[in-house]
Amino acid sequence: FFGLCTMEEYLITFVNPVRDGDVVIIERLVRYVAKQLAIVGLETETVLASPKEPNKGTSLVVSSPRKVLEAEAEVLQLIKVAKTDDGKGQWMDFEAKDGNLFVGYETEDFLLPSEASYLLQCVLEGVPLTDEFWDIVDTYKLKVGTIRYGRARRSTSLMYALQALNLVECTMPLHRPDCQHDVGKAILRGLTVPVVKVHNYFGANTAFYFAWMAFYTYGLGAPALVGILLYLHMRHYGYTVDTHPYLPLFGVFVVLWAICFLRFWTRQSNEWACRWR
């Protein structure tokens, strides 16, 4: 699969049929899903199960043209930077008809990989369910309880019904190798975590984790340095933990450091949140 991956692609892997009669049903289901995805403008490529991996079923590689993602971005009111006369830019809700007014719209990476992945996921979740789906599924021996079946019956989302009825093994975004390699090189080369690159590729939740870990790691430098100096002083003069005269001051220092650390992290995290919207 991964030779043709971009972040605008999703992989939908269907269950591997156990009975011989189920093979035809799953094949019908795959064709039906591909047809429904085509209706909303998505493109699909069928990847048949490999004989070397008998436990995996047929998969669909789903990709989306940029115009479909832009339409979904407009529906979700995605915030992008619009051009201004002073060149500073201004955050505005994206509208496809005014695309040329936004910074970088003419480039291929106008939509960040994380944004494109999220938009494609939203498009998939909005694919409608029709009666033809139940004509196919009701002939298949489902392994779900009545509650999950009832929820799937009430749903209007094709992807939700597939997952609720355990008809798919996984649905996940596929990696974009060039961006993934770029992020990996930036992490290995630099002394600091490239938070912006991580955000652009993996999204805000993952970026905030790395931002926190990096900020915390570097923040520990001050108490670590003072602690090492106190330890060397204690060994040189033969003090113990109970008799060292400056150890209580170190405890006060750590308290003050913790207060300052939380203040600075609040400021830094708010800055990231404002920038990443």
Side-chain angles (χ1 to χ4, degrees):
F1 302 136
F2 298 97
L4 40 84
C5 295
T6 66
M7 202 60 178
E8 294 86 356
E9 291 183 336
Y10 248 72
L11 179 69
I12 304 175
T13 302
F14 294 83
V15 295
N16 189 32
V18 178
R19 300 177 303 176
D20 293 338
D22 294 339
V23 175
V24 177
I25 300 175
I26 296 299
E27 290 177 352
R28 287 181 59 197
L29 182 61
V30 172
R31 290 194 297 268
Y32 168 78
V33 172
K35 182 183 70 173
Q36 290 299 108
L37 297 180
I39 292 176
V40 298
L42 300 177
E43 302 171 358
T44 59
E45 179 181 350
T46 303
V47 181
L48 299 178
S50 172
K52 297 180 180 180
E53 297 178 308
N55 295 327
K56 288 188 176 181
T58 301
S59 299
L60 281 179
V61 178
V62 184
S63 58
S64 173
R66 177 165 163 170
K67 62 179 182 181
V68 176
L69 298 180
E70 289 182 359
E72 188 67 18
E74 187 171 341
V75 172
L76 297 177
Q77 297 181 330
L78 181 69
I79 302 294
K80 300 295 287 186
V81 180
K83 301 174 183 177
T84 56
D85 294 336
D86 58 8
K88 295 182 179 179
Q90 180 181 0
W91 292 102
M92 292 184 62
D93 294 345
F94 174 76
E95 292 186 6
K97 63 181 180 180
D98 297 329
N100 292 327
L101 301 179
F102 290 85
V103 177
Y105 179 76
E106 62 280 356
T107 62
E108 293 182 359
D109 56 351
F110 170 69
L111 292 174
L112 301 176
S114 58
E115 293 174 340
S117 175
Y118 174 71
L119 292 172
L120 180 52
Q121 178 182 346
C122 292
V123 173
L124 287 172
E125 291 175 351
V127 176
L129 195 62
T130 64
D131 292 336
E132 184 181 354
F133 173 81
W134 296 109
D135 294 338
I136 298 173
V137 169
D138 286 342
T139 60
Y140 183 77
K141 187 176 181 181
L142 298 172
K143 298 179 180 179
V144 294
T146 55
I147 296 179
R148 292 174 65 91
Y149 182 82
R151 290 179 178 177
R153 270 289 187 180
R154 294 190 297 270
S155 174
T156 59
S157 171
L158 174 59
M159 295 305 301
Y160 178 84
L162 289 173
Q163 294 171 345
L165 298 176
N166 293 336
L167 293 173
V168 291
E169 292 182 355
C170 70
T171 57
M172 62 181 181
L174 295 179
H175 281 292
R176 182 184 292 181
D178 54 342
C179 295
Q180 187 182 24
H181 183 64
D182 184 43
V183 174
K185 284 202 307 183
I187 292 176
L188 293 176
R189 287 181 178 179
L191 296 177
T192 60
V193 178
V195 178
V196 175
K197 288 182 178 291
V198 172
H199 165 263
N200 293 346
Y201 187 67
F202 291 103
N205 290 338
T206 303
F208 261 117
Y209 169 78
F210 281 96
W212 158 254
M213 291 302 298
F215 192 87
Y216 182 57
T217 300
Y218 288 109
L220 287 174
L225 178 60
V226 176
I228 291 174
L229 293 177
L230 282 177
Y231 175 76
L232 294 177
H233 184 268
M234 182 175 63
R235 292 296 299 270
H236 179 74
Y237 290 100
Y239 290 118
T240 64
V241 175
D242 298 323
T243 61
H244 198 289
Y246 300 130
L247 200 59
L249 296 178
F250 177 68
V252 175
F253 168 77
V254 171
V255 172
L256 296 176
W257 168 85
I259 295 173
C260 295
F261 174 82
L262 290 176
R263 291 286 186 178
F264 282 113
W265 168 247
T266 300
R267 180 186 300 178
Q268 181 66 68
S269 61
N270 287 339
E271 179 183 341
W272 288 127
C274 181
R275 184 180 302 181
W276 296 335
R277 295 289 168 169

